[in-house]
Amino acid sequence: MNDAGEGPGEGTRAVRAGLPEPVKHEPTLPGPVFAAHFHLPGDPTGPYTYGRDENPTWTLLERAVGELEAPGEDGVETLVFASGMAAISAVLFSQLRAGDAVVLPDDGYQALPLVRAQLEAFGVKVRTAPTGGDAQLEVLQGARLLWIESPSNPGLDVCDIRRLVEAAHARGALVAVDNTLATPLGQRPLELGADFAVASGTKQLTGHGDILLGYVVGRAGEPMTAVRRWRKIVGAIPGPMEAWLAHRSLATLQMRVDRQSATALKVAEALRAHPDVTGLRYPGLPDDPSHKVASQQMRRFGCVVSFTLSTRARADRFLEALRLVDDATSFGGVRSTAERRGRWGGDAVPEGFIRMSVGAEDPEDLVADVLRALEESAD
C-alpha cells in the first residue's frame, strides 16, 4: 500500500502493470505474439480475429498503460498506436468534422502546424493560443475540441488543466491532454477531468530511445469508439515486438522518472547560476513562471530543461563540447540528449535555444559536464 493507503504505490504499480494472472511454467510477461490472423471457425466472435484489430501483446500493454494513467478507474479504455503522432492524429481526425472548430496550442510540438494545415484542408476551423496563462480560454467558445499540451514542448509552459477542462466542458467541448512530457507518473489528465490522455510512448514512458509508440486513454463511450474505428481504418498499429518491449520497459518507469527528474532539477539549478544562460525553464524550479500551477497538478516535473545561449554558433559549440550528452532529438531516454531546437524550423524559439533531456547518469557527472561545456564554448 502507498502512504495514503489507497492501493499499491507507483513503483509497485509500474512493475506489475498489465501482467496476466500467473500460470505454472508460463513466463510472467508472455513474449510477443506475431500473428496476422487467428484460428476462427464459425462466427467471428471473441477478442482476436485479425491482426489489425487486436493482438494479445497489445492487450497486456494497453492494460498496463491504463493502470498507470487511470489507476483504480473502471470503464477506461486504452489504445496503442505505431507512434505518438499516430495517436494524436487518431484523436483529432476521429472527433472533428468539416465546420467544427478546434483549439490548439501555438507553442506545442513542432508537428502541430502540419496537423493544422491538414485539418484546415478538411474544413476544420483551427484556433491557437499559447499554453501559458491559460490563454486558450479566450478562444474556446464554439469549439468541438480543446487540445492541451502541458508542459509544452519545447518551452515548458504549464496551464491549469482543471480550469481549462471545466471551461471547455461548460461550452460543450471535449478535452485532450498531451501527457508525453509529464508521463502518467507526472500527472494524470483523466483525474484532472480530461476526456483523453494522449502521449508518445517513444519518449520517457519507454525510456531507451529504441521504440516508436503512442497511446490514447479515455473513458468508454462514443469518443473512444471513434478513436478505435480510426485506428482500424488507418492501420496505425504497433508491431508486437515494439509493444512487448514497451511493456517490459514500464517496469523501470518509476526508477527512471524519479532519477531523471531529480537530476533535471540539479542541472537547472546549476544553469540558473551561470551568467551566459538566459530564458531558463524547468517547472520544478521554485522561481519558474509555471511552478505554482505545475505543483498543483504534477507529482513530478519531468526530465526536460530548456534554456538559451547568446547565438546559434555558441549553442553549436556548447553541444559539440558535451561529452556525456548526445546531440540528438527526442527526449526521455536514459542517456542524456540535447539539441539546438531551432534547427528544425518548426518551433518559435531563438537560434540559441537548447532543449536538454536529462538522463540517468550520475547527477554530479552530468552537471560537471554541462558546466565544463559552457566554459569551453564561451565567446
Side-chain angles (χ1 to χ4, degrees):
M1 301 288 284
N2 62 20
D3 292 340
E6 298 173 348
E10 290 179 322
T12 303
R13 186 178 293 117
V15 167
R16 304 202 63 81
L19 296 181
E21 290 297 319
V23 176
K24 189 174 183 178
H25 306 308
E26 292 293 324
T28 54
L29 177 61
V33 175
F34 298 99
H37 58 263
F38 303 83
H39 288 295
L40 193 64
D43 292 334
T45 59
Y48 305 113
T49 58
Y50 184 61
R52 191 182 67 249
D53 297 330
E54 294 288 350
N55 176 288
T57 310
W58 305 349
T59 298
L60 296 180
L61 174 60
E62 288 171 342
R63 186 188 305 166
V65 172
E67 289 173 9
L68 295 176
E69 281 282 2
E73 285 200 43
D74 295 326
V76 170
E77 294 185 12
T78 302
L79 296 169
V80 290
F81 289 82
S83 68
M85 281 308 302
I88 289 169
S89 299
V91 173
L92 290 169
F93 290 100
S94 70
Q95 305 303 312
L96 298 168
R97 305 288 184 271
D100 286 345
V102 60
V103 176
L104 302 178
D106 64 12
D107 55 349
Y109 181 52
Q110 59 132 195
L112 287 182
L114 299 176
V115 174
R116 174 178 183 165
Q118 191 62 61
L119 287 168
E120 290 176 335
F122 288 162
V124 176
K125 302 169 187 175
V126 180
R127 307 171 192 158
T128 63
T131 299
D134 300 342
Q136 290 175 302
L137 284 172
E138 303 301 319
V139 291
L140 268 181
Q141 192 62 42
R144 164 67 179 162
L145 177 68
L146 167 63
W147 191 272
I148 293 172
E149 189 177 300
S150 180
S152 62
N153 173 27
L156 302 182
D157 268 324
V158 171
C159 61
D160 186 333
I161 295 175
R162 289 188 187 88
R163 183 186 182 202
L164 266 69
V165 166
E166 290 174 2
H169 286 171
R171 292 163 173 79
L174 296 168
V175 182
V177 176
D178 187 326
N179 206 33
T180 302
L181 211 149
T183 82
L185 299 193
Q187 68 188 9
R188 299 188 191 121
L190 268 62
E191 287 186 0
L192 299 173
D195 300 287
F196 303 102
V198 187
S200 168
T202 308
K203 312 299 194 298
Q204 196 172 21
L205 186 83
T206 56
H208 292 79
D210 53 7
I211 304 168
L212 288 174
L213 193 85
Y215 68 80
V216 179
V217 183
R219 294 178 182 87
E222 176 52 33
M224 280 300 290
T225 298
V227 175
R228 183 182 295 275
R229 187 184 307 121
W230 180 266
R231 184 178 72 173
K232 178 183 177 72
I233 293 168
V234 177
I237 57 173
M241 189 66 189
E242 286 79 5
W244 183 85
L245 286 169
H247 198 169
R248 181 247 9 219
S249 299
L250 289 183
T252 61
L253 180 61
Q254 190 216 28
M255 291 182 283
R256 290 186 282 107
V257 169
D258 280 350
R259 173 63 172 255
Q260 290 172 260
S261 298
T263 304
L265 179 59
K266 292 183 178 181
V267 169
E269 289 171 341
L271 289 168
R272 182 173 55 183
H274 199 283
D276 294 350
V277 170
T278 61
L280 175 67
R281 296 300 304 270
Y282 182 66
L285 286 171
D287 57 352
D288 186 271
S290 292
H291 180 73
K292 181 178 179 180
V293 174
S295 63
Q296 294 169 352
Q297 63 191 24
M298 298 183 72
R299 302 186 308 284
R300 296 168 178 84
F301 298 108
C303 63
V304 176
V305 178
S306 67
F307 58 97
T308 301
L309 298 176
S310 57
T311 64
R312 171 177 178 168
R314 173 71 195 283
D316 286 339
R317 292 197 305 271
F318 166 73
L319 293 169
E320 186 176 357
L322 291 166
R323 296 171 185 164
L324 297 180
V325 183
D326 296 330
D327 190 341
T329 195
S330 197
F331 58 85
V334 292
R335 289 173 289 278
S336 293
T337 61
E339 68 173 336
R340 192 181 62 79
R341 195 63 188 162
R343 64 181 176 172
W344 296 101
D347 297 307
V349 295
E351 285 288 347
F353 180 94
I354 301 291
R355 185 184 71 182
M356 180 176 178
S357 172
V358 174
E361 297 88 356
D362 287 325
E364 297 78 10
D365 294 338
L366 196 57
V367 168
D369 189 47
V370 168
L371 293 179
R372 179 197 51 76
L374 283 170
E375 295 308 310
E376 289 185 6
S377 61
D379 297 325

